[in-house]
Amino acid sequence: MTVLSSTGQQAKHQQLGISEETVIAMYTNMLTARMYDERSMLMQRAGKLNFHVSGIGQEVAQIAAAFALDRNNDYFLPYYRDYGFVLSVGMTLKDLFLSAFAKAEDPNSGGRQMPGHFGSKKLRIVTGSSPVTTQVPHAVGFALAAKMNKKDFVSFVTFGEGSSNQGDFHEGCNFAGVHKLPVILMCENNQYAISVPIHKQLAGKVSDRALGYGIHGERVDGNDAFEVYRVVKEARERAIAGEGATLIEAMMYRISPHSTSDNDLAYRTQEEVDYNKTLDGLPKFKQYMVDHGIWNEELEAQLRAEIKKQLDEASAYADKAPFPTPESVMDHVYANDNKGGVE
C-alpha cells in the first residue's frame, strides 16, 4: 500500500524502497540497543559490571547505516559506542553481555578486551582496540584488498569527531582518495570528545575535509534515519561503481556521559542535555511509524516486553558463565600455537 504524506508525496521509507517490515526491524534494533544501553548503565551502577561506554542518542544513525549496507558481504569496523550497529549486522544481546562480563565465551575477545571492542570473523566485524582512530587505516586496508582482488564489497568504519583530528584519520582519507578505494567513513559527530566540546575541536565541518583528499563528503542529520540510510546507500553505490571513498558526518548528540567513569555535568549543563533529548531520533522514528499506520502503543508494549525478556535471559546467562581460565592467558599469542605456549 502506498502511504502519502501530508504534502501528497510518498512516505520517506517508500521513496527509498524500504518495506514496512524493514522499518519495523530497524526500530526493533534501535529500541533493543537503547534498552541494552540503559540496562548496562544500571548494572554498572549496581556493581554488576565494571565499566560501560554508552551510545545513547547515536543508535538511529548506526542502525540506518547498517541497513543501507550489504550485511552479508561488506566489512565493518565499528567504534566503541556502536551497539546498535553490531546488533544490526548479527551480534546478539548474549554476545554483548558476555563481553560486558568479560567471560570466556565472549565472541569478541574471550573476555580479554573492554566492552565495546567488537570483533567477529563470522560477521566480518574487524577487531577494534582502545587507541582511538586506529580502525580508519585498517578499514582503508580492507578496501584496498577489495580493489586488488576485484571483490564487490565495501568497508565501513565509524569514529567520533574527536578522532577526525588524529593522524590515522587523515592518513586513511588520503590513501583512500589517492587510490579511489571502496571505503565509507562515517563520523558520528556527537559534539563531545570526552569533555571537549565541538567548538574547541573544530573550526569547520568534518565533511568538508573530504575536499582535501579528493573524496566525496557529506553532512547529514544523524537523528534522521532515512537521510542517513540514503546517504550511506548512495555512498556504497558509488564505491562499488569504482568512484572511491565517501566521508559522511552524521550530526547527533551524546545524551549519556562519556562512560560510567565520567561526570558529564562537570563540563556541560543539564539544560543542554535536556534540550538535546528533544532532538533524539529514536522517539521521532517511532512517531513516524505511528503517523504512517505502521506502529501503535499496543505493539510498542509488546516489543518492550519481549526485549526486556531477552535482556533478562542474556544478562543472567552471561552473569553465570565461567571466566577465562588463568591458563588461557597465553592463547592466541603465538602464531604457531593457537592454544598458547612455545614449542
Side-chain angles (χ1 to χ4, degrees):
M1 181 180 72
T2 300
V3 181
L4 300 179
S5 69
S6 58
T7 61
Q9 296 179 316
Q10 266 191 321
K12 284 185 179 179
H13 69 280
Q14 292 183 326
Q15 292 177 35
L16 294 167
I18 304 173
S19 68
E20 290 187 2
E21 292 76 16
T22 300
V23 171
I24 293 171
M26 291 170 71
Y27 180 67
T28 298
N29 286 3
M30 291 176 194
L31 190 58
T32 301
R34 177 66 58 92
M35 291 177 67
Y36 165 77
D37 217 320
E38 292 170 341
R39 174 70 67 90
S40 295
M41 295 272 281
L42 286 172
M43 293 179 76
Q44 193 280 333
R45 294 299 188 234
K48 297 292 289 184
L49 300 178
N50 289 322
F51 186 70
H52 178 65
V53 180
S54 177
I56 292 175
Q58 302 184 212
E59 306 95 337
V60 168
Q62 296 169 10
I63 288 155
F67 274 76
L69 297 166
D70 183 340
R71 289 176 286 165
N72 294 315
N73 291 295
D74 292 340
Y75 282 78
F76 314 116
L77 295 93
Y79 92 130
Y80 50 80
R81 300 190 194 280
D82 281 0
Y83 306 109
F85 185 87
V86 297
L87 285 169
S88 297
V89 299
M91 278 200 167
T92 67
L93 288 173
K94 183 189 286 187
D95 294 337
L96 294 182
F97 276 118
L98 284 166
S99 175
F101 279 95
K103 295 304 180 72
E105 289 181 63
D106 163 32
N108 298 278
S109 69
R112 289 166 168 76
Q113 286 263 41
M114 286 170 49
H117 290 48
F118 310 108
S120 171
K121 187 173 182 180
K122 177 181 69 174
L123 300 173
R124 299 169 316 287
I125 299 172
V126 182
T127 301
S129 59
S130 286
V132 295
T133 333
T134 54
Q135 71 271 25
V136 171
H138 295 165
V140 171
F142 273 80
L144 177 63
K147 184 171 183 176
M148 290 174 67
N149 294 317
K150 296 181 172 56
K151 300 288 187 181
D152 282 339
F153 70 79
V154 306
S155 61
F156 176 82
V157 60
T158 58
F159 48 92
E161 82 287 349
S163 287
S164 74
N165 301 316
Q166 294 283 108
D168 302 68
F169 166 80
H170 298 283
E171 291 159 14
C173 286
N174 190 59
F175 195 91
V178 169
H179 297 283
K180 296 185 75 69
L181 299 181
V183 57
I184 302 170
L185 306 102
M186 189 171 91
C187 173
E188 296 184 26
N189 189 337
N190 65 18
Q191 304 182 50
Y192 279 95
I194 307 182
S195 60
V196 183
I198 189 169
H199 70 272
K200 291 185 178 180
Q201 302 175 55
L202 300 163
K205 298 178 182 178
V206 173
S207 54
D208 284 348
R209 292 173 168 177
L211 181 62
Y213 302 115
I215 64 178
H216 183 86
E218 195 161 348
R219 178 183 270 194
V220 64
D221 179 359
N223 290 314
D224 186 332
F226 297 117
E227 276 301 285
V228 175
Y229 178 94
R230 177 187 64 80
V231 169
V232 174
K233 191 169 189 293
E234 290 174 358
R236 190 182 188 281
E237 289 168 353
R238 284 193 300 270
I240 292 297
E243 296 175 24
T246 297
L247 172 61
I248 299 167
E249 181 181 17
M251 300 302 296
M252 57 189 68
Y253 188 82
R254 193 197 75 213
I255 293 173
S256 51
H258 169 73
S259 72
T260 50
S261 298
D262 175 42
N263 175 17
D264 62 313
L265 297 183
Y267 54 82
R268 62 183 184 178
T269 65
Q270 187 63 55
E271 290 75 18
E272 177 186 315
V273 177
D274 290 343
Y275 168 73
N276 280 281
K277 285 180 180 178
T278 68
L279 307 177
D280 184 3
L282 181 55
K284 287 185 176 182
F285 194 84
K286 175 192 171 185
Q287 189 59 50
Y288 172 91
M289 295 168 67
V290 171
D291 291 345
H292 290 85
I294 301 172
W295 203 245
N296 56 49
E297 290 305 322
E298 182 181 353
L299 292 171
E300 178 78 7
Q302 291 173 3
L303 178 59
R304 285 182 175 271
E306 176 57 29
I307 295 171
K308 181 182 181 300
K309 179 184 175 187
Q310 292 176 14
L311 287 167
D312 292 343
E313 292 174 350
S315 60
Y317 179 91
D319 191 15
K320 295 174 183 175
F323 285 103
T325 62
E327 296 77 22
S328 70
V329 71
M330 299 300 289
D331 288 359
H332 316 297
V333 174
Y334 297 100
N336 64 340
D337 185 357
N338 288 331
K339 292 300 181 183
V342 180
E343 292 180 355

